[in-house]
Structure formats: C-alpha cells, structure tokens
Amino acid sequence: MRWLQLPWLAALLAIALPAEAHQVNLVTARVALSPDRTVSVELGLKGSDVDRLIGTKTYDSRQDAVDPAAAEAAGAAILAYMRAHLAVTGGAKACPAGDAAILADGDGIIYRDSFACAGVGGDIIYRSTVLTEKDPAARQIVLIAQDRQETQALLDAGNTTVTLSNAPPSLWSTMQRYVLTGIEHIFLGYDHVAFLIAVVLWARRLIPVVKIVTAFTIAHSVTLSLTALDVLVIPGSIVEAAIAASIVFVAVENFFSRDVDKRWRMAFLFGLIHGFGFAGALREIGLPPNAAVPALAAFNIGVEIGQVAIVALVLPALGLLDRLTTTDRTGPVRAARLVYMVSAAISLLGGYWLLVRI
C-alpha cells in the first residue's frame, strides 16, 4: 500500500493554487489609523457565522458561498449588528462613523466603515465584540496599520479592545501569542490528533516514536513555512480532504503492519500534507509584517509543543495497556484487539471526514 503515497502527493503538489476563505468562529479585521486621526475598519467573517448571529440566510452551505443578493437584502440587519458590537472611541467619546458598506466576499461577509476621531481627545480605542459576544470560543484577529507599520492583536470574549495610539506590542509578546495559537490549533485540530494517535498505536519503545515525531515535525515545518510565506499555496478544500485520507490510510495500515520502526517515512510524507493544514490556520490569522519570521517560528514551536504533549499522553496509556493485558498468555492478543478497535474507529472517523470534505 505504501507505493500509493508517492503519486498521490505528487498530484497534490501539482495543483497548488492560491485560495482565500473565511474560517468559522474567526473574525479578521484590518484597522488603519491615519495622521488626521481617521480610522478605517474592514472586518470579515464567515457567512454561516453571520446567519447564526443575526438570523439571516445569506450563506449557502452546498456552495460554500454567500449569495450577494441575499447579503444586500440583509445589509441593514448586518449593519445594525455591527454598529451595536463595534465602535471606535477617543477617550470616552465615540468617533462619528461614516457611510458603512456590507459586501459579499466568497464564503463570507465584509463590513467596511471609517470613523472620524479628529474632534475627540485621548487615546483612540477600537472595541469589538463581533461574534465573541455570542461564542466565547471565537477569536478576532486585528491587523493594525499606523505610521507605515503593521502590528497584530488578538481579541476574544475577555479582551475586547485595542488601543490604537499606543506603542505596538513587543516582539516577545508577539511570539508568546503565536506560540499559544500554535498549541491551541493542534489541540483543537481533531484530525491532526487522530493522525498522531493512529500512527503511534503499535509503538511500545521510545526510539521509533522519536523518529516518527521528528520526521513529522521536519516535514510539516517545510510546507507550513512555504505556505505561510506565500511560496506554495494549495486550496484548503484539497488539503483538508488529503488530511482525512491520510488518517484513513494510517489507521487501516495498522491492520496489516505493526512495523513502527519504518513508520517515520510515512510520517514524513504525510507531514508534508498536514503542514499545509497548519498553514491554512496560520494564513487566516496572518503574520505581522514587522515580525513575520519570528511569528512563524513561534507558531511552529507551539504546534510542536502540542504535538509532543499529545504523544506524551498516548504513550503512557499504551504502556499501561500492556501491563493490564499481559497477566496471562492472552494478554498480547487482547492488546492487539484494542489497537484494532481504536484503528477501526479512527478509520471510520477519517472516512466520514473525507466524504464530507469531498
């Protein structure tokens, strides 16, 4: 079965094309502060999130797209929501808003407006609870442009404001934020977790696991970096389907082979594919222009921390399984049956994800 991997990956790399999409539970915003204290805001979010927030019907799940006519018809309702949950203030006084626009953008909705803060004093503050007031797990990534520099901030349910006229965040705080984002992504990425569990199920010694983790790390670091820096970009729909297929492949192979010593090769090959998936999440967040390489390295470190933590939890569980099932001669048989059961469950999950994503 291993020979099938090479042409599959070659075909995947051959159709690398740029793609843009909005991510569920994530708001992306660009806030620009000009010398005359005018603030321009452009905010984007997934169409399904807009419908969930407001009760509109702009998003077609079958097409994974927003209907421009439906977005125009719902414009007043969307604008009312935005004005209730987004504001720019100078000190304690609201900056007057301009003429807002609501636009369809592929699978998402774009909101644009400007705020005139020349007549108000104090620090200029951007406040937004768009989506985060509804879902505490939601996040808002804010790209702040001022004085020919761009920095980033992360908002959530407990942190809803950014002071635009303050100094930009330090490099250390930026790296901390991206490390945490990388850890969060690997733990919330259930498909990556399923792959890692499936690939080490037969492992009972440390050295094969180290080889597997190292190969997977090197591989996905390569494609993550290439994609994040816009050197090589593959459409997200293809990447997500390929990740699901890799999960099925590894889980099914557990029924035919227990040779974990050579699995580092397969981990490297599929790590290239998973790297595109990690990069997809990072592209949604974006890299700060003034610290792109440190932020990329920090995100990668966060992914590795999460990955090692997952493996560190799985291996003791496998060791405990061996101790519990080797009290008699049937112990190894029972341990193998459990591996087969877990592999079957993971293969079914992977197959379901593959069908949905195709």
Side-chain angles (χ1 to χ4, degrees), residues 317-337:
L318 294 174
L320 178 62
L321 170 67
D322 276 346
R323 289 193 295 271
L324 293 176
T325 57
T326 53
T327 55
D328 54 45
R329 294 180 180 179
T330 65
V333 175
R334 292 204 300 270
R337 286 175 179 171

Side-chain angles (χ1 to χ4, degrees), residues 14 34 43 59 61 112 127 140 151 156 164 174 177 183 186 188 200 237 248 255 288 291 293-294 307 336 338 344 351:
S34 65
L43 183 146
Y59 177 73
S61 59
R112 290 176 182 155
R127 178 187 65 82
Q140 182 173 157
T151 58
D156 54 31
L164 305 180
T174 297
R177 186 170 70 250
I183 295 173
I186 189 68
L188 296 180
V200 300
S237 58
V248 175
F255 290 93
V293 173
Q307 176 181 297
L338 185 57

Side-chain angles (χ1 to χ4, degrees), residues 78 133 216 218 356:
I78 297 172
E133 55 85 25
F216 188 70
I218 293 172
V356 170

Side-chain angles (χ1 to χ4, degrees), residues 75-162:
I78 297 172
L79 181 57
Y81 175 86
M82 293 296 180
R83 286 180 172 168
H85 294 277
L86 186 151
V88 177
T89 60
K93 185 177 180 181
C95 299
D99 295 326
I102 302 294
L103 306 170
D105 179 47
D107 64 348
I109 294 287
I110 294 292
Y111 159 83
R112 290 176 182 155
D113 205 349
S114 61
F115 299 82
C117 300
V120 297
D123 286 332
I124 299 174
I125 298 174
Y126 169 81
R127 178 187 65 82
S128 176
T129 57
V130 174
L131 190 58
T132 59
E133 55 85 25
K134 183 76 172 180
D135 191 341
R139 298 290 185 270
Q140 182 173 157
I141 304 299
V142 183
L143 178 65
I144 305 164
Q146 62 182 88
D147 298 329
R148 298 184 180 181
Q149 293 184 340
E150 291 187 343
T151 58
Q152 284 188 328
L154 177 65
L155 302 184
D156 54 31
N159 179 29
T160 62
T161 63
V162 177

Side-chain angles (χ1 to χ4, degrees), residues 198-265:
V199 81
V200 300
L201 270 178
W202 283 119
R204 296 298 183 270
R205 294 182 296 111
L206 182 60
I207 291 179
V209 174
V210 171
K211 292 166 66 176
I212 289 171
V213 172
T214 301
F216 188 70
T217 296
I218 293 172
H220 75 60
S221 296
V222 171
T223 48
L224 167 60
S225 301
L226 290 175
T227 305
L229 297 175
D230 290 324
V231 176
L232 177 64
V233 181
I234 293 179
S237 58
I238 296 175
V239 172
E240 293 304 313
I243 288 174
S246 75
I247 295 168
V248 175
F249 187 97
V250 173
V252 170
E253 194 190 41
N254 282 334
F255 290 93
F256 300 96
S257 173
R258 303 184 185 186
D259 187 4
V260 294
D261 289 328
K262 296 180 180 179
R263 269 207 160 177
W264 66 267
R265 302 171 184 173

Side-chain angles (χ1 to χ4, degrees), residues 23 59 166 201 348:
Q23 185 174 322
Y59 177 73
N166 272 0
L201 270 178
L348 289 174

